[in-house]
Amino acid sequence: MDVGIVGLAGAGAALARRWAGAGLRVAVFDAEGREHPDDLRHGACAMSSAVAVARSLAAPRIVWLCVPAGAATELAMQEVWPELAAGDVIVDAGDAHYHDAPRRAAALASVGIHFADCGVRDGAAGAATVLLGGSDAAARIVAPLARIAAGEGVYAHCGPAGAGHYVRMVNDGVERAVLRAFDEGAALLRGKREFGLDAARIADLLRAGRGAHGWPADPGEAGAARAASASGHGVVNEAVAQRTPAPVLSLAAMLELGTAQADGAARPTRMAGSARRRDGAADDKDDTT
Amino acid sequence: MDVGIVGLAGAGAALARRWAGAGLRVAVFDAEGREHPDDLRHGACAMSSAVAVARSLAAPRIVWLCVPAGAATELAMQEVWPELAAGDVIVDAGDAHYHDAPRRAAALASVGIHFADCGVRDGAAGAATVLLGGSDAAARIVAPLARIAAGEGVYAHCGPAGAGHYVRMVNDGVERAVLRAFDEGAALLRGKREFGLDAARIADLLRAGRGAHGWPADPGEAGAARAASASGHGVVNEAVAQRTPAPVLSLAAMLELGTAQADGAARPTRMAGSARRRDGAADDKDDTT
Amino acid sequence: MDVGIVGLAGAGAALARRWAGAGLRVAVFDAEGREHPDDLRHGACAMSSAVAVARSLAAPRIVWLCVPAGAATELAMQEVWPELAAGDVIVDAGDAHYHDAPRRAAALASVGIHFADCGVRDGAAGAATVLLGGSDAAARIVAPLARIAAGEGVYAHCGPAGAGHYVRMVNDGVERAVLRAFDEGAALLRGKREFGLDAARIADLLRAGRGAHGWPADPGEAGAARAASASGHGVVNEAVAQRTPAPVLSLAAMLELGTAQADGAARPTRMAGSARRRDGAADDKDDTT
Amino acid sequence: MDVGIVGLAGAGAALARRWAGAGLRVAVFDAEGREHPDDLRHGACAMSSAVAVARSLAAPRIVWLCVPAGAATELAMQEVWPELAAGDVIVDAGDAHYHDAPRRAAALASVGIHFADCGVRDGAAGAATVLLGGSDAAARIVAPLARIAAGEGVYAHCGPAGAGHYVRMVNDGVERAVLRAFDEGAALLRGKREFGLDAARIADLLRAGRGAHGWPADPGEAGAARAASASGHGVVNEAVAQRTPAPVLSLAAMLELGTAQADGAARPTRMAGSARRRDGAADDKDDTT
């Protein structure tokens, strides 16, 4: 197998699809029993464990961890790294806080294994934002896969271990504020009934103007495209830590917390083609935000 | 002459350039004595008054008023409309509040003259956002000129008289918030010294991803691209009037008021190629924001 | 009768109670048929019209208009002023925008009638904030009644006509932001379950410390004490008009608009002892916010 | 000696003054060589070290640490605790993050020494807010001193170890937002030149109304009364951690970061009567905010 993925919720399924679609043989394992959607079947091979995923690869082995931050990621790392050799790579593409990356990178480096953190945000069809942190050596090995994953989107080696998750966190915070600004503007357009403005049409036109910050599709749709991971609110903590004012980003984060409270539900990151549980139950993470 | 412009500050000079560059013969007059930059000379003809501009045109006469809102616009209208005939058009491309447009449109309609309000925001080279409000008849007459003015940007007939300035006002408010969100994010990227992130390079990469809301060029540059006209703060009043919450837009507007206070200067709308006064003094409106 | 009141919703009933309680004979009329609560009966005399209220008074006649801003206030003024003579006073204690006061004052002054605008906000039992705008002559006539109305609260002659409503508007905006800050703090106290903090008790203690800005009673209670009149959002428009940043006040106003939208109901000003309709139906304005 | 204080910057000098003024014998030590102001001399005795302070006390020994959070506090604790016996108390009255308290309390408890965290904020003359966290046993021992320190202000045993600093942190955040709201309102009052409003006088009147959240003295004075310690911004992190929206508090915090950046200086907690260095140089912490 050419690459391994542990975890098919969130980014995992999207990555599997991209690589399988590019003709790569992808080994996948999901602890919750999620299966990959039909269109993924060709090119993806379900393994019985994270260990099996690692063992199915040839050097340089590259295993992408796409599991929730915290315990799940620690567990996956503990299972996978003993199966790797010097020169292999573990990529943490989950929602871990960027603080964790340097520590993990140092620990793995002591046995010659590369570590990279990767922030993945799925965008419109065929395009994703893939932000990598890690040594130049790690980036060289991972770059081809990362570029395929990005498709017509963005791949960037942002800096050392931690930089990938950090930039993703800041980008999330900015995106949240931007989307909210658009939503508020759209509400004001629709609200001016005497003009009978077509907010969607106007947004299309403004976006077609190809300004660097045009209006997104469907302004006012309640957060379908919002990246609402836990790390997204980290921008607020970061601003306090750096003593750098970020009032707009913080406000957007706080407003989202308010909405989340009202809804009474966690807001998952919606990734195209997220897997469904083998038992047929709808995966919480499949819910439209 | 094919089209007339009264006022060369702000949008006026940019419009003159676009039309002259497209081979149209443009009649211009500026009460403050501004001359058009050299590259505008061919195709633009300086007139001695707004009246002279109107008289130089052939039916259907289209006169674009690009003067400050309020008294200047009223004066220009009073000078120009008597020179027009039924079927001609006055386009108010200044920073008038959208409230003024329906009134002016009705008054001119009583003598068969069309009125359109137009929000013009210059963008990157060759692209502008041109938002028109007015009757379908007025729009039909104005559209060709508007499209040339928009270049590779956006032209939209948004709705009835007032809709152009209204959409421009909302767009200004959204853009302000978006740019501020990017600035705050850029500050957080630069502020993480241990990662040595290159905020400009990362912004380039993210923008290249062609997301509908990518990062603008030079994030963190203090407002070079900000449209900071008075109408931009109208979004706040609008939200209150509609009882529609717009916390992010309002915050961005308030933050800008705070910065303006600190600078002790008014913030002009920066338009590419604004004219210089005949007496050689730098035109306030030429200042980089 | 000593004083007249037109309108028993909102401030009207509270004023009637204070004056009747002080032994004054109060003539009242309410177009919606509201009756005064039982405890008001002594000292208050229901009249059949605003005209009757005015006619029941002896010079200097002081009529307090406590009706909704706009048409209702205009109507009441039109009915009352012809019944008055030079030296009499009309006090607008409704929620009119402060812009209306100077105009009304000038119009009435032309026939020698004084006009004062008055912002009344009921506070804890026995205390109210009474903010008056108008000439010194008008203030001299009105002050005794205003002081009784304020009780253990505040009476201030703030400035010329319009100043009363203006200060009330700003005070409303500040109060909204302050109450929201307390609510947010209370939520954070209650949210730290591991400490088992008693937010109400802590608030009591902090308030007892008699700081000028202590915690109000029942922090976290959803807006029981909030003055949420339309004029309260005027602070936002004012900030824009003065180009003076007021980000916290604006945010609080926007957040309230968001809550109001969610509740789907207008938020009335809650005044102690508001009247009930004669037909027994609960007066919307009696609803707890 | 009756009580010991380590550190005379910030709260230390204020506490020394209160206790000495109440007739207690206070042992003090300041590592930076600060001396206590003249009016403190009677009742306060300068010691040569933190150890000397501890040794000068009789059981139950109560040592108040009023040094900067982090290394300084750790050092002071390491010097003092070996001099104490079971039943004695260490009170951390510095700006430590509330997270540190439970850990320290547990460590000291293992040798029978009580630990309490205390948030002290000096208010108007004679009144302070003293918020204690710790076991009931610790609170019983400390309460008499705490009440004297609070004077006409507030003393509250808020909860277990950490609760004192936590409530102080939240109170700081709320106070910041409240003061900013008042400042913004004051600016809007002064900005309405046509009314010639006397913002200070109006504030006095509103405050005299004894509302629970009246206007503070001198609204608009740039932060003379602001508690701007590092812990004050913790409310923002707390809101994110609890996923509880606190938009107003966060905005106030962010605005302060913006102001601090502009001033280019750290903002100390201003405590009445802070000490001066023995070498006569002005103590940075004495600077008026």
Side-chain angles (χ1 to χ4, degrees), chain B:
Chain B
M1 310 299 278
D2 299 309
V3 60
I5 297 177
V6 176
L8 280 176
L15 290 173
R17 166 173 291 106
R18 290 265 160 77
W19 291 328
L24 296 172
R25 294 160 302 171
V26 187
V28 303
F29 169 68
D30 186 279
E32 304 282 330
R34 292 183 188 85
E35 283 191 348
H36 33 272
D38 285 348
D39 68 328
L40 196 61
R41 243 159 247 260
H42 301 284
C45 189
M47 299 286 156
S48 59
S49 65
V51 167
V53 166
R55 288 184 181 174
S56 72
L57 306 172
R61 299 170 187 80
I62 308 169
V63 181
W64 290 65
L65 306 183
C66 306
V67 292
T73 297
E74 272 304 324
L75 179 63
M77 289 198 68
Q78 292 306 320
E79 291 184 332
V80 167
W81 82 263
E83 306 298 326
L84 305 183
D88 291 343
V89 187
I90 287 182
V91 182
D92 179 1
D95 280 344
H97 192 278
Y98 75 88
H99 281 155
D100 297 326
R103 169 176 61 79
R104 288 172 168 154
L108 290 172
S110 66
V111 289
I113 297 173
H114 297 292
F115 174 89
D117 50 292
C118 190
V120 184
R121 284 282 171 262
D122 219 14
T129 300
V130 179
L131 302 163
L132 199 80
S135 67
D136 289 347
R140 267 194 302 273
I141 299 172
V142 171
L145 286 167
R147 291 189 204 284
I148 294 172
E152 301 194 19
V154 177
Y155 161 64
H157 174 206
C158 300
H165 283 169
Y166 184 77
V167 176
R168 185 266 314 271
M169 177 190 82
V170 172
N171 198 47
D172 276 359
V174 170
E175 193 170 309
R176 173 186 303 107
V178 167
L179 286 173
R180 191 166 278 273
F182 289 140
D183 278 357
E184 291 178 7
L188 292 176
L189 291 183
R190 287 192 304 272
K192 202 66 182 176
R193 300 183 189 293
E194 70 226 54
F195 286 152
L197 299 169
D198 184 334
R201 171 185 152 259
I202 289 175
D204 277 350
L205 287 162
L206 290 175
R207 205 167 357 94
R210 280 174 36 198
H213 38 269
W215 290 61
D218 295 326
E221 289 297 315
R226 281 197 175 82
S229 66
S231 80
H233 301 110
V235 283
V236 182
N237 299 326
E238 195 59 34
V240 172
Q242 290 186 26
R243 296 188 70 80
T244 289
V248 174
L249 300 189
S250 297
L251 174 57
M254 290 292 154
L255 293 173
E256 186 173 86
L257 288 178
T259 312
Q261 260 203 353
D263 293 352
R267 292 178 159 277
T269 302
R270 179 154 184 274
M271 301 300 296
S274 341
R276 290 195 167 279
R277 288 208 154 116
R278 191 170 291 125
D279 60 6
D283 185 355
D284 283 350
K285 286 218 165 138
D286 290 342
D287 289 350
T288 306
T289 300

Side-chain angles (χ1 to χ4, degrees), chain A residues 157-169:
Chain A
H157 175 207
C158 300
H165 283 169
Y166 184 77
V167 175
R168 184 265 314 270
M169 177 191 82

Side-chain angles (χ1 to χ4, degrees), chain D residues 151-239:
Chain D
E152 301 196 19
V154 176
Y155 161 64
H157 175 207
C158 299
H165 283 169
Y166 184 77
V167 176
R168 185 263 317 267
M169 177 190 82
V170 173
N171 198 47
D172 276 0
V174 170
E175 193 169 307
R176 174 186 301 109
V178 167
L179 286 172
R180 192 167 277 273
F182 289 140
D183 279 357
E184 290 178 7
L188 291 176
L189 291 182
R190 287 193 305 273
K192 201 67 181 174
R193 300 184 191 292
E194 69 224 55
F195 285 153
L197 299 170
D198 184 336
R201 170 185 153 260
I202 288 175
D204 279 351
L205 288 163
L206 291 175
R207 205 165 359 93
R210 284 179 28 204
H213 37 268
W215 291 62
D218 296 326
E221 289 298 313
R226 281 199 176 80
S229 65
S231 79
H233 300 111
V235 283
V236 181
N237 299 328
E238 195 59 34

